[in-house]
């Protein structure tokens, strides 16, 4: 069984919760409201008003508009690569969304060597969606396939920011061999993976 | 959370140079070694990085650059984190940080001076349930 898991270099890693961008947007809204409440309760003090508004502004950020009704990218705030809401020009240091695989095609699929499909799961990675395929290992040979990958570019359209899709393809191949089955991670025979039976508490909580 | 993990006081306004280690966790557990079990990438390919996808990535830097190290695991249900980065403290002092609202770690630091030649560094990883970190034996480097 093959799983394809795309990740973006120079971005927040895919190990953060799948709702991370939405959660950070909600947190920054809450922080802005708290600052605003503090500002209004001290409305008589005009000397602090500018500083107070500046504090509110630090949490407001830029919310993106959906590129299309079915877009997977929600209407959340633009984050930087360290997970903070960007309040200045978002095009300077924004975090890119994870790449999206949109299809798997080619000889390996046409000849039914692989049966790729997109699956949804409660997985915390890849927004719960991932591509997987079972392989017919009875027919040795090299089988090419094409990954269709969609990246997203931050664009300003009619005064709003939008994640615009940009499509790419990536050529790859499978070598189906008749060698004895072995563990692909360890290179050894088929058996248990070398995971310690009892994880150490200190590492598990790090 | 350990005391040495901290949040940056200011949000960076420029994009840091990210150095990402893609780690094969079961491979590292099987051999108790990082050799052959991780692949380094950075976001400076267009500016001349070499060793892309190897253990000896060479990242061009200059004084004032912000560096960020993080991890992507090859097998998504495994655990790997950077435990430490040893580098000449006159060039960079990486600090452990976390993505806000999570326990996911990254390391970050500022390049303190221009690099004349090559400054090697060593990354230690926490891998799976092992209590002892595993350090890299190859020498990725920051280069001038």
């Amino acid at each position: 069984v093959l799983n394809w898991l795309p990740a973006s270099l120079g971005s927040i890693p895919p190990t953060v919760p799948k709702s991370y961008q939405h959660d950070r947007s909600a947190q920054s809204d809450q922080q802005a409201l708290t600052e605003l409440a503090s500002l209004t309760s001290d409305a008589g003090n005009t000397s602090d008003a500018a500083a107070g508004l500046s504090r509110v502004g630090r949490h407001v950020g830029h919310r993106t508009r959906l590129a299309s009704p079915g877009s997977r990218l929600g209407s959340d705030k633009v984050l930087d690569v360290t997970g903070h809401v960007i309040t200045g020009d978002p095009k300077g240091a924004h975090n890119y969304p994870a790449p999206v695989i949109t299809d798997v095609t080619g000889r390996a699929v046409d000849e039914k060597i692989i049966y790729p499909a997109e699956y949804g799961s409660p997985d915390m990675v890849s927004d719960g969606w991932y591509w997987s395929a079972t392989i017919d290992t009875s027919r040795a040979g090299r089988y090419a396939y094409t990954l269709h990958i969609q990246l997203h570019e931050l664009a300003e359209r009619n005064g709003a920011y939008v994640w615009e899709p940009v499509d790419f393809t990536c050529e790859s191949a499978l070598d189906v061999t008749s060698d004895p089955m072995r563990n692909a991670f360890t290179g050894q025979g088929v058996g248990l993976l070398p995971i310690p039976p009892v994880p150490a508490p200190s590492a598990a909580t790090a | 959370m350990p005391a040495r993990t901290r949040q940056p006081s200011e949000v960076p306004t420029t994009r840091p140079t990210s150095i990402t280690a893609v780690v094969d966790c079961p491979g590292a557990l099987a051999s108790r070694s990082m050799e052959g079990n991780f692949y380094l990438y950075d976001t400076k390919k267009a500016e001349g990085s070499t060793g892309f996808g190897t253990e000896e990535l060479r990242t061009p830097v200059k004084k004032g650059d912000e560096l960020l190290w993080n991890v992507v695991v090859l097998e998504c249900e495994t655990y790997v984190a950077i435990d430490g980065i040893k580098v000449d403290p006159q060039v960079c002092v990486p600090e452990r940080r976390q993505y806000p609202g999570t326990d996911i770690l990254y390391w970050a630091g500022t390049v303190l001076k221009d690099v004349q030649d090559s400054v090697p560094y060593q990354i230690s990883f926490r891998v799976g349930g092992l209590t002892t970190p595993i350090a890299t034996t190859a020498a990725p480097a920051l280069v001038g």
Side-chain angles (χ1 to χ4, degrees):
Chain A
V1 177
L2 283 177
N3 288 334
W4 289 275
L5 298 169
S8 172
L9 296 177
S11 295
I12 297 170
T15 38
V16 299
K18 66 179 182 180
S19 59
Y20 190 62
Q21 192 160 1
H22 179 76
D23 294 345
R24 293 294 296 151
S25 298
Q27 287 164 8
S28 78
D29 282 342
Q30 190 59 50
Q31 288 165 337
L33 287 172
T34 302
E35 294 283 3
L36 199 56
S38 166
L39 189 62
T40 53
S41 69
D42 196 23
N45 189 348
T46 54
S47 64
D48 286 345
L53 285 171
S54 174
R55 287 197 302 273
V56 173
R58 282 211 303 267
H59 302 296
V60 173
H62 304 273
R63 194 175 287 278
T64 55
R65 182 165 52 79
L66 291 177
S68 63
S71 174
R72 283 183 182 173
L73 296 174
S75 176
D76 292 317
K77 294 185 180 182
V78 181
L79 303 181
D80 71 12
V81 298
T82 63
H84 293 87
V85 168
I86 294 181
T87 54
D89 180 0
K91 297 187 82 173
H94 65 273
N95 183 64
Y96 284 94
V100 177
I101 296 173
T102 56
D103 204 356
V104 183
T105 60
R107 183 185 169 210
V109 180
D110 296 341
E111 298 189 15
K112 302 188 187 310
I113 297 298
I114 57 176
Y115 296 83
E118 189 177 28
Y119 295 89
S121 82
D123 192 313
M124 300 300 276
V125 179
S126 303
D127 209 19
W129 293 94
Y130 66 100
W131 279 79
S132 184
T134 51
I135 307 169
D136 179 354
T137 55
S138 67
R139 288 181 284 163
R142 168 165 283 219
Y143 299 93
Y145 67 90
T146 303
L147 279 177
H148 299 256
I149 296 173
Q150 192 172 77
L151 306 183
H152 291 84
E153 199 168 52
L154 189 62
E156 193 171 2
R157 298 283 179 261
N158 302 319
Y161 288 99
V162 179
W163 290 113
E164 289 192 338
V166 185
D167 293 306
F168 296 89
T169 57
C170 173
E171 303 301 321
S172 193
L174 293 172
D175 278 326
V176 179
T177 73
S178 55
D179 296 344
M181 190 178 290
R182 63 181 171 84
N183 187 312
F185 288 110
T186 64
Q188 306 302 309
V190 175
L192 297 176
L193 287 173
I195 308 296
V198 181
S202 60
T205 56
Chain B
M1 192 53 60
R4 62 179 171 144
T5 301
R6 72 175 194 84
Q7 296 297 327
S9 56
E10 295 293 330
V11 175
T13 54
T14 57
R15 188 181 300 280
T17 297
S18 289
I19 299 173
T20 298
V22 178
V23 177
D24 175 355
C25 180
L29 286 173
S31 61
R32 295 294 197 266
S33 166
M34 295 310 299
E35 188 178 351
N37 295 313
F38 75 107
Y39 313 88
L40 290 173
Y41 299 87
D42 66 29
T43 50
K44 282 280 188 89
K45 191 176 183 182
E47 286 105 296
S49 292
T50 59
F52 217 65
T54 74
E55 300 175 12
E56 296 187 334
L57 177 72
R58 295 168 64 85
T59 302
V61 298
K62 60 181 186 301
K63 182 180 178 182
D65 281 357
E66 296 291 330
L67 304 179
L68 186 159
W69 285 267
N70 63 12
V71 171
V72 171
V73 287
L74 205 53
E75 168 68 29
C76 67
E77 292 171 350
T78 56
Y79 171 80
V80 178
I82 294 175
D83 186 69
I85 298 173
K86 281 186 185 171
V87 60
D88 181 348
Q90 292 189 321
V91 175
C92 185
V93 183
E95 292 180 333
R96 188 161 94 157
R97 296 180 184 169
Q98 64 191 95
Y99 294 98
T102 77
D103 58 359
I104 308 295
L105 302 174
Y106 66 94
W107 288 68
T110 303
V111 177
L112 301 173
K113 66 177 187 179
D114 284 327
V115 174
Q116 297 304 317
D117 185 20
S118 171
V119 178
Y121 61 90
Q122 184 186 54
I123 308 175
S124 294
F125 293 95
R126 286 207 168 268
V127 183
L130 297 181
T131 52
T132 304
I134 306 176
T136 56
T137 51
L142 307 176
V143 298

